[in-house]
Amino acid sequence: MAKVFFSSWNGKIIDERKKVAAERKDLQELKFPGQLGDRALRAFIGWAGLVVSDPDLDLVTALAVFYGKMQKESCGRCVPCRAGSKIISDRLAAILSGEGKESDLEFLVEIADLVASGSLCELGISSPKPLKDALLYFRDHFLTHISAHQSSLTKPLSTDHYETILTAPCRNGCPAHINIPGYLESIREGDYEEALAINREKTPFVGTLGRVCVHPCESNCNRQPVDQALSIRLSKRFVADFGLRNGYDQQLKKQVVKSAGERVAIIGAGPAGINAAYQLSRKGYGVTVYEALPVAGGMLAVGIPSYRLPRDILNYEIDLVCRMGVEIICNTRVGSDITIDQIWQEGFKAIFIANGLHESATMGCEGEDACYLGYMPGVEFLRRINLGQKVELGDTISVIGGGNVAMDCARSAVRLGVKEVNLIYRRTRNEMPANAAEIRAAEEEGINFHLLANPVCILEDGGVVSGMECIKMELGDPDVSGRRRPVPVDGSEFILKAESVIPAIGQVANFDFLGENSAVKLSRWGTLEVDDNTMETAAAGIFAGGDAVLGARTVIEAIATANRAAVAIDAYIRKARAAVGPAFYFERFLETAGVYNPDGVPEMVGARKRREEEVLPVSERISGFAEADLGFKGPGTAIAESERCVKCLRLGLAVLDAGRAEND
Ligand SMILES: Cc1cc2nc3c(=O)[nH]c(=O)nc-3n(C[C@H](O)[C@H](O)[C@H](O)COP(=O)(O)OP(=O)(O)OC[C@H]3O[C@@H](n4cnc5c(N)ncnc54)[C@H](O)[C@@H]3O)c2cc1C
């Protein structure tokens, strides 16, 4: 178990230097991992101080690497940051070369203070901290180099065992770690092409995410306690739409690696499958995606309604990937049209399973299995309307559920002309899992919410749905999810007239295509079991991601798993071992440790209102499936919004032992 030798992280001094190793605190108590992948963490240097685990570490060398990186990342707008990081970097190099003087140490403190007080963004404000802590607590390290009067650089400063990360609370909150401050800065400079390229490092689905992403990044925005979070999702949408209008396609550059020529098969053309195909194709692999449905896109194409995600946007982004050489074979269900064995026989070197969750969970209510006409699970209803199939609902319907799928069903039904849409949810509005904006929009569009109510029985007349018997609920003690458990109120049954009943309470997966003897294992939740970092299943060469692994989650999480899997698949093919490299472990460690401090109120000028998007009036919205939310008005709005970003950049450096070279 790795131990703390010294820590000044977040201003809390833990000095274990006089203790023997066995008595020192475990590194994990500070939420720091002992390892990043196969490599032991010797120290972490970053925005909130120093954490040293290895007593033999030479801090001066590590600090020289850290400030060299800071110098590269400094944008140059604040002179103290740009010039100061160079001065610090040069002075540390001089000390390491045997040309340092003791007076340099006081000088370094002065410069560090100057950089911290004279910089406008967090890179300059926070990065001097570890230097100041080192000068205070590890002065002997500097003096050893200074008194040696000779170069201690036996070789040039190597970056072999250092892993740096430039993060920010928003970037850390994004499961795919898109460089949000980077693209906001590009928007501010009017370089929309660069802003799009930054997004496309992680995904081709920029316009899609700009419309439907649940934007966890915004919940991490430091502006929240000051005025309002940045409109990050809409900024993303703006660059995608601008790029689409101006043909910014040339950025889909490939970064071909030595393995070019090998082929990978993917099961399912949803966001996970297509994102994995995109990243593997960029690395030079030949990729074939098998898709059961007649269209690609997964739930983006057959779940999310087109008034939220116009199909020309989605199809353009899928087409970008196809133009890179990815082959998507639709109408081909793995399991019935082709088997896994046949896929291997085709000569593929690895398989990525991303088949999502396309079957409905059951409500456990009477009449559910009776196949009454008018009973249709939510995902089936959405799939049918998205595939252009005729659906007859009648004038009055009941939708059951409080999540996004339920909102999509209810709002789609309104657009199909249903006169009365009743939405039944067993908890209160506060506990509804759907996005707040979706709930608001559903209310505006006239959907009747029956809260604290649960279905008991589907009523029928001659095999045709005629209504729903429901019961009122009240909230009891909290359940495992921490939410208060809904409990039926005896004798409170009531009846709602309904010509159609659409349950939308969750989806489940179907893994029949794996066959009975597959080495791929299922979790107790009925999802695929994988290594959380590499996304590798227990079967050699088979990886998995997206909802099939995570359960019903989000597009951005599906994309994040696909990106990890693509790196691991590349390693598996090239080095016969799935691995993701220290940079990924670094990101994941920061996900756990957290970069956003919800209790902090940063110093910044407030009262700068967030820019919102234009929205179609309700009467126009409900008259068809035209896009309801219209994005920013134009570049002026996007630039003004990006100017609200104060660049809460945080630089971190992990010093690692040599370990086993993975995917670096
Ligand atoms: C109605 C609805 C609304 C949603 N709204 C949002 C939202 O606003 N924001 C958000 O972030 N997330 C939303 N989600 C969730 C999001 O769509 C999913 O998390 C995401 O699509 C998962 O991606 P995936 O690639 O893992 O799976 P999917 O998108 O489900 O794609 C899986 C693909 O695999 C195919 N497939 C299945 N079995 C086989 C087989 N045997 N052979 C070949 N192909 C197969 C399927 O046909 C499908 O195309 C919504 C989901 C639904 C259902």
Side-chain angles (χ1 to χ4, degrees), residues 32-53:
F32 278 81
Q35 301 268 132
L36 287 188
D38 274 359
R39 292 177 170 175
L41 183 75
R42 301 180 68 200
F44 187 84
I45 295 173
W47 62 92
L50 291 170
V51 179
V52 181
S53 169

Side-chain angles (χ1 to χ4, degrees), residues 212 214 267-272 290-293 298-299 303-304 308 332-334 354-358 382 405 408 507 513 546-547 553-555 558:
V212 305
V214 294
I267 302 174
Y290 295 102
E291 169 54 53
L293 294 173
M299 285 304 186
I304 299 178
R308 287 210 289 129
T332 306
R333 180 172 292 278
V334 176
N355 62 322
L357 312 171
H358 285 254
L382 292 170
V405 181
D408 283 342
Q507 297 97 255
F513 63 87
D547 279 2
R553 295 285 262 277
T554 62
V555 179

Side-chain angles (χ1 to χ4, degrees), residues 341-423:
D341 282 347
Q342 285 168 327
I343 291 177
W344 285 129
Q345 282 155 21
E346 297 260 332
F348 292 102
K349 292 288 179 216
I351 297 176
F352 179 62
I353 302 176
N355 62 322
L357 312 171
H358 285 254
E359 294 186 8
S360 292
T362 48
M363 298 186 287
C365 101
E366 211 178 304
E368 196 172 12
D369 302 324
C371 301
Y372 299 138
L373 201 66
Y375 175 85
M376 195 189 314
V379 280
E380 184 187 330
F381 164 59
L382 292 170
R383 183 162 58 235
R384 285 172 65 171
I385 57 172
N386 278 312
L387 290 175
Q389 294 166 1
K390 200 162 184 299
V391 182
E392 302 220 350
L393 296 172
D395 285 339
T396 309
I397 70 160
S398 286
V399 175
I400 298 101
N404 283 330
V405 181
M407 298 302 151
D408 283 342
C409 291
R411 295 183 65 196
S412 295
V414 169
R415 283 159 174 78
L416 290 172
V418 175
K419 293 201 177 74
E420 188 180 328
V421 178
N422 293 307
L423 188 125

Side-chain angles (χ1 to χ4, degrees), residues 261-335:
E262 302 290 13
R263 291 163 66 225
V264 179
I266 291 179
I267 302 174
I274 293 183
N275 226 82
Y278 170 69
Q279 299 293 12
L280 288 163
S281 172
R282 292 173 83 205
K283 291 177 189 295
Y285 291 95
V287 185
T288 299
V289 187
Y290 295 102
E291 169 54 53
L293 294 173
V295 294
M299 285 304 186
L300 303 179
V302 298
I304 299 178
S306 56
Y307 63 82
R308 287 210 289 129
L309 175 58
R311 295 307 183 252
D312 55 339
I313 300 293
L314 173 64
N315 292 338
Y316 166 74
E317 295 184 332
I318 295 173
D319 190 48
L320 289 178
V321 180
C322 294
R323 275 157 50 194
M324 294 169 72
V326 168
E327 179 188 29
I328 302 179
I329 307 180
C330 288
N331 292 311
T332 306
R333 180 172 292 278
V334 176

Side-chain angles (χ1 to χ4, degrees), residues 172-253:
N172 181 246
C174 170
H177 305 298
I178 294 174
N179 181 0
I180 295 161
Y183 78 75
L184 290 175
E185 177 71 5
S186 299
I187 294 176
R188 206 188 61 77
E189 288 169 349
D191 191 347
Y192 312 131
E193 195 164 8
E194 176 61 17
L196 188 54
I198 291 172
N199 276 282
R200 283 183 176 161
E201 274 301 304
K202 301 287 185 183
T203 182
F205 291 117
V206 188
T208 297
L209 286 171
R211 287 168 169 81
V212 305
C213 189
V214 294
H215 51 78
C217 51
E218 293 186 14
S219 314
N220 268 19
C221 177
N222 266 338
R223 282 210 83 96
Q224 277 179 106
V226 180
D227 39 35
Q228 288 173 298
L230 257 282
S231 272
I232 300 173
R233 177 179 66 81
L234 290 175
S235 302
K236 188 190 301 293
R237 171 180 171 158
F238 165 75
V239 291
D241 290 0
F242 195 91
L244 173 61
R245 281 197 300 276
N246 291 283
Y248 291 169
D249 295 350
Q250 60 278 22
Q251 294 147 347
L252 299 166
K253 287 178 206 138

Side-chain angles (χ1 to χ4, degrees), residues 2-4 12 14 16 21 23-27 29-30:
K3 301 284 181 181
V4 181
K12 189 173 170 213
I14 302 173
E16 310 275 274
E23 286 171 5
R24 290 180 191 139
K25 274 187 199 303
D26 290 339
L27 208 48
E29 280 184 44
L30 299 183

